[in-house]
Amino acid sequence: MAVERTLSIIKPDATRRNLTGKIIAKFEDAGLKVVASRRMRLSQADAEAFYGVHKERPFFKDLVSFMVSGPVVVQVLEGEGAIQKNRDVMGATNPANAAAGTIRKEFAESIEANSVHGSDAPETAANEIKFFFRDLDIVG
């Protein structure tokens, strides 16, 4: 399996409850390495641009409002099969369907406030990483 990089976002519901360290520990315990990290507050414009692929969906406005409601932690995770491994550690989008031990099963408040975001494919990961980080910011 190839070494990959993927974007991870720890969402406002999780940062509000001070779960950042517990969530990062789950990624690291799964063999993923944090090679870039930044705690920040998304602007309305940034949230709209980042989630622009969902612009026509009915949940877009609520998603943007939620993502600007508090700080997030954006990070680049690296490891063998990082994209799928990250998704496995996160669990299903709907925490009710997430497997035991996953981030969303343990920490999500709802399907909307589900604690984490992760890239879903290599192309998406590359674009999402570039949205938040310059090459100089990523230290493997």
Side-chain angles (χ1 to χ4, degrees), residues 12 19 28-29 38 40-41 47 59-60 69 73 75 81-82 87 92 94 100-101 103 113 125 127 130-131 137 140:
L19 297 172
E28 291 179 335
D29 290 347
R38 176 181 304 129
M40 63 184 297
R41 193 168 199 129
F59 61 81
F60 177 73
S69 69
V73 175
Q75 53 193 357
R87 297 189 71 71
N94 183 344
I103 292 168
N127 290 333
K130 286 180 185 171
F131 189 90
D137 298 326

Side-chain angles (χ1 to χ4, degrees), residues 31 35-36 42 55-56 58 63 67 83 92 96-97 101 106-108 115 131:
V35 294
L42 292 173
K55 191 169 186 150
E56 301 304 319
L63 174 61
M67 291 302 291
I83 295 166
N97 301 332
E106 290 188 22
F107 302 126
S115 299
F131 189 90

Side-chain angles (χ1 to χ4, degrees), residues 18-134:
N18 203 31
L19 297 172
T20 302
K22 289 179 182 178
I23 291 172
I24 293 171
K26 285 194 167 286
F27 293 131
E28 291 179 335
D29 290 347
L32 295 169
K33 181 178 177 182
V34 178
V35 294
S37 182
R38 176 181 304 129
R39 184 178 179 95
M40 63 184 297
R41 193 168 199 129
L42 292 173
S43 69
Q44 182 84 16
D46 284 342
E48 288 174 354
F50 185 76
Y51 287 105
V53 297
H54 300 301
K55 191 169 186 150
E56 301 304 319
R57 297 211 170 148
F59 61 81
F60 177 73
K61 286 184 182 181
D62 289 339
L63 174 61
V64 169
S65 293
F66 169 64
M67 291 302 291
V68 302
S69 69
V72 298
V73 175
V74 294
Q75 53 193 357
V76 179
L77 304 177
E78 182 179 82
E80 288 193 22
I83 295 166
Q84 187 59 52
K85 192 174 285 186
N86 178 33
R87 297 189 71 71
D88 292 344
V89 172
M90 288 190 310
T93 301
N94 183 344
N97 301 332
T102 63
I103 292 168
R104 289 175 173 154
K105 189 66 164 185
E106 290 188 22
F107 302 126
E109 295 179 316
S110 67
I111 193 168
E112 294 85 12
N114 63 13
S115 299
V116 286
H117 163 90
S119 304
D120 61 3
E123 303 79 26
T124 309
N127 290 333
E128 289 182 346
I129 290 168
K130 286 180 185 171
F131 189 90
F132 290 107
F133 296 99
R134 302 172 302 147

